[in-house]
Amino acid sequence: MGRIRALAGVISLFAGLLFTTANLAVAAQPAPELVLNLTSQQVKLSDYRGQVVYLDFWASWCKPCQRSFPWMNDMQAKYGEQGFTVIAVNLDTERKLADEFLSKLPAHFPVAFDPSGNSAQTYRLKGMPTSYLIDKTGQLRIAHQGFHVDKQASYEQEIQGLLAE
């Protein structure tokens, strides 16, 4: 177990070094459907159609994920009433690790759990965290690999732009 977490930490560090570009080019296309296992229910990503969705893939060992959660909470609080929802998909193989993370950094938005990693395969993740902005019509519009504190203002502008459409 300790070796796996150490290896995951090294991968996260190198992914952070390799993927310094915050925005990835995404041609507008339908967001692949996901069935999300939330704490109390199961929902589909398409259930959120009509809202701007910030779909974030994370894991407990991911250092940039620790920096992103306060910002995502702020964005949910600021724009939630305007039709914005953050959905975080945890990819830890052990739920207990995610629960420990969330006890320190509570999420004020839906959190789904995918220990099998099927959603990561569907979205072809290349690093942690990876986030997607999905417009009101369910189209993928913007992807971010990593979370860069110095780019928070531009991330927020992207949200504002999609909400204004």
Side-chain angles (χ1 to χ4, degrees), residues 13-83:
L13 173 65
F14 283 113
L17 295 173
L18 290 172
F19 302 111
T20 57
T21 302
N23 296 341
L24 303 173
V26 174
Q29 59 183 301
E33 182 65 280
L34 292 179
V35 175
L36 304 165
N37 293 309
L38 305 178
T39 303
S40 60
Q41 63 182 332
Q42 193 176 67
V43 298
K44 293 181 198 169
L45 181 58
S46 59
D47 293 341
Y48 292 89
R49 192 140 305 137
Q51 298 182 44
V52 172
V53 174
Y54 187 87
L55 180 65
D56 182 72
F57 294 91
W58 67 284
S60 62
W61 48 262
C62 168
K63 296 297 180 196
C65 299
Q66 294 172 11
R67 292 189 293 275
S68 71
F69 264 64
W71 178 82
M72 291 188 297
N73 280 331
D74 289 346
M75 295 300 99
Q76 182 63 56
K78 191 170 184 178
Y79 298 107
E81 290 185 12
Q82 296 176 41

Side-chain angles (χ1 to χ4, degrees), residues 50-145:
Q51 298 182 44
V52 172
V53 174
Y54 187 87
L55 180 65
D56 182 72
F57 294 91
W58 67 284
S60 62
W61 48 262
C62 168
K63 296 297 180 196
C65 299
Q66 294 172 11
R67 292 189 293 275
S68 71
F69 264 64
W71 178 82
M72 291 188 297
N73 280 331
D74 289 346
M75 295 300 99
Q76 182 63 56
K78 191 170 184 178
Y79 298 107
E81 290 185 12
Q82 296 176 41
F84 174 74
T85 301
V86 173
I87 300 173
V89 180
N90 176 266
L91 298 170
D92 283 305
T93 56
E94 294 181 43
R95 172 72 182 264
K96 148 183 125 163
L97 299 172
D99 290 340
E100 288 171 6
F101 178 101
L102 292 168
S103 72
K104 295 173 190 155
L105 292 165
H108 304 296
F109 44 79
V111 176
F113 301 94
D114 181 12
S116 67
N118 290 333
S119 61
Q121 290 176 2
T122 299
Y123 276 78
R124 298 182 178 139
L125 297 191
K126 293 182 175 36
M128 284 290 185
T130 297
S131 333
Y132 295 91
L133 268 169
I134 302 168
D135 70 17
K136 296 173 188 175
T137 67
Q139 298 289 305
L140 288 176
R141 295 287 293 276
I142 300 166
H144 300 130
Q145 196 155 24

